Amino acid sequence: MKLFNAIAAAAILFAACNSSSSNTAEATDTTATADATTETSSNDTGWVSLFDGSTLNGWHAFGQTEAGKWSADSGAIQLHSASKAEGGDLVSNDSFGNFDLKLDWKISKDGNSGILFYVQDDKAKYENTYKTGPEMQVLDDERNEDNKTPTHRAGSLYDMIQATPGAVKPAEEWNTAEIVSNNGKLDFYLNGVHVVNTTIFDDNWKKMIAGSKFKQWPAFGTFQEGHIALQDHGHDVWYRNIMIKKL
């Protein structure tokens, strides 16, 4: 009887081991399938990188052939405010119409910068990028004096629409921003929060411009295609993971 019990116990243990091995194999297969699905869909989205992580190929300082105070360091585009090189906003070589732009930014303490779009790359005619291109504000909301004006705080459509408060991270921490402009619909996102939602190029858009500092520049906000620009506002700032998709 004892011998029979021992044999039965061994048989049960062997069956349990086989069942455990089978479950492990099934879990591994499921994970592999999920990874493969993610990789396939990420390769089929139409996203294009505007920054290769190590050079400024595809970019130039506004009105210049070189990058001025901007450089590629440690996987990010950085503005070196103390550099003696010529200043100026960094502008993409390519221009875009309807687009979805995603990127990360980090600002120095008391810093100020911005992400502009629909910029006309003609310094002789327009002098500055902000005379043609609307801007998503980049700011140290805690310290920079521009925080006194609600529409000048981080994530805002600069001087036109205030961003939903509370989305920005403190200075020297990375933020993730997204700008979507598609057939007149403009949306800003900051760290996953939908901070601005408006329509551009319509009568209300013209009224907003007329009530802003941009009213003195007739070409501002009138172009439906243009360049992306990263603003040189005299403070250190970093940008990385810059991706765009034409819509």
Side-chain angles (χ1 to χ4, degrees):
M1 189 67 177
K2 289 182 179 180
L3 178 59
F4 174 81
N5 288 342
I7 292 172
I12 292 170
L13 180 60
F14 177 77
C17 289
N18 281 345
S19 175
S20 175
S21 299
S22 176
N23 290 339
T24 302
E26 288 176 3
T28 302
D29 289 343
T30 301
T31 303
T33 302
D35 289 345
T37 302
T38 302
E39 182 177 355
T40 300
S41 53
S42 66
N43 287 338
D44 192 32
T45 59
W47 289 97
V48 175
S49 176
L50 293 184
F51 175 49
D52 62 17
S54 58
T55 74
L56 291 182
N57 292 340
W59 296 85
H60 62 277
F62 187 60
Q64 305 174 47
T65 57
E66 302 297 329
K69 293 185 177 183
W70 299 86
S71 68
D73 296 318
S74 303
I77 293 176
Q78 181 181 0
L79 174 72
H80 298 272
S81 59
S83 170
K84 294 182 180 180
E86 185 176 353
D89 294 358
L90 192 68
V91 180
S92 66
N93 290 354
D94 295 333
S95 62
F96 304 91
N98 294 327
F99 68 86
D100 187 346
L101 174 70
K102 296 181 181 181
L103 72 168
D104 300 332
W105 62 262
K106 179 173 67 173
I107 191 71
S108 56
K109 290 182 178 178
D110 194 35
N112 189 336
S113 182
I115 306 158
L116 292 84
F117 52 99
Y118 296 151
V119 167
Q120 302 306 295
D121 192 14
D122 187 343
K123 188 173 184 179
K125 187 173 182 179
Y126 299 111
E127 189 178 4
N128 301 105
T129 61
Y130 58 77
K131 292 186 177 180
T132 57
E135 174 188 346
M136 183 186 200
Q137 173 74 309
V138 169
L139 194 77
D140 174 7
D141 271 4
E142 181 182 351
R143 301 173 182 83
N144 191 278
E145 62 180 7
D146 227 8
N147 63 8
K148 297 174 183 177
T149 304
T151 57
H152 292 189
R153 295 171 188 160
S156 296
L157 175 59
Y158 184 79
D159 207 51
M160 297 174 73
I161 299 178
Q162 179 187 1
T164 302
V168 69
K169 296 181 181 179
E172 300 182 334
E173 291 188 21
W174 285 105
N175 293 267
T176 297
E178 182 175 8
I179 300 172
V180 183
S181 181
N182 192 18
N183 294 323
K185 188 175 185 299
L186 181 66
D187 296 282
F188 287 179
Y189 299 85
L190 186 60
N191 297 317
V193 179
H194 195 181
V195 292
V196 169
N197 174 24
T198 192
T199 301
I200 54 180
F201 311 128
D202 62 0
D203 288 341
N204 186 59
W205 176 250
K206 294 174 183 176
K207 289 179 182 179
M208 284 195 292
I209 293 174
S212 74
K213 64 190 294 183
F214 302 109
K215 62 184 178 182
Q216 59 188 304
W217 301 303
F220 175 84
T222 62
F223 297 96
Q224 299 186 32
E225 182 173 335
H227 302 262
I228 307 298
L230 308 177
Q231 189 178 57
D232 173 1
H233 208 287
H235 304 101
D236 286 0
V237 64
W238 295 259
Y239 293 94
R240 69 181 185 186
N241 298 330
I242 308 172
M243 305 287 293
I244 197 164
K245 178 170 63 173
K246 294 182 178 181
L247 302 176

